Amino acid sequence: MLLSDLLGCRVLDPDGTSLGTVVDVRFRRGPARRTREADLQLVALIVSPRSRMSYYGYERGRVDAPAVINAIMARLHRGARVIPWECVAEIRDGELELGVTAPRIPLDPRVPIGEG
């Protein structure tokens, strides 16, 4: 699977309700190998209910965006959330169907899970 296969896909919860569009993903580096770098493992999708546009890295807490760009990104992606990869049951024709109801994990780490 390629990253381009996921970006732009519509995400559906188990009852068929659209949660939004995949705008970014999160990876974790796996265990290191002696002879080569560790593999990257897909751990989560970033899903935005209002926009198909990427964040271009501005959602990460350590990036200081100009105030105007920060305001635009916040408005375009309000309600965006992290969906763990383990929740995905099926991938087909531009859609990802979740097998379970995903927890509500906000992008902002200061917001408690469930309130995002």
Side-chain angles (χ1 to χ4, degrees), residues 7-10 21-23 48-55 76-77 94:
L7 295 175
C9 283
R10 210 168 73 145
T21 304
V22 177
V23 295
S48 178
R50 293 181 175 80
S51 177
R52 294 178 59 119
M53 187 175 100
S54 171
Y55 276 100
L76 283 174
H77 293 293

Side-chain angles (χ1 to χ4, degrees), residues 24-106:
D24 206 351
V25 296
R26 290 293 172 264
F27 290 99
R28 169 181 57 216
R29 190 169 298 281
R33 312 266 186 207
R34 283 185 180 201
T35 58
R36 62 184 176 96
E37 286 190 37
D39 294 331
L40 294 177
Q41 302 167 345
L42 178 62
V43 294
L45 307 170
I46 307 298
V47 176
S48 178
R50 293 181 175 80
S51 177
R52 294 178 59 119
M53 187 175 100
S54 171
Y55 276 100
Y56 300 109
Y58 285 114
E59 84 283 2
R60 295 184 186 106
R62 293 185 289 270
V63 176
D64 291 328
V68 173
I69 291 176
N70 204 20
I72 290 169
M73 290 299 188
R75 176 116 173 117
L76 283 174
H77 293 293
R78 65 189 181 277
R81 62 193 227 180
V82 177
I83 295 183
W85 178 246
E86 291 83 16
C87 294
V88 176
E90 189 174 352
I91 304 168
R92 65 176 182 286
D93 299 328
E95 291 184 340
L96 299 174
E97 187 175 323
L98 303 183
V100 296
T101 302
R104 194 139 190 67
I105 303 172

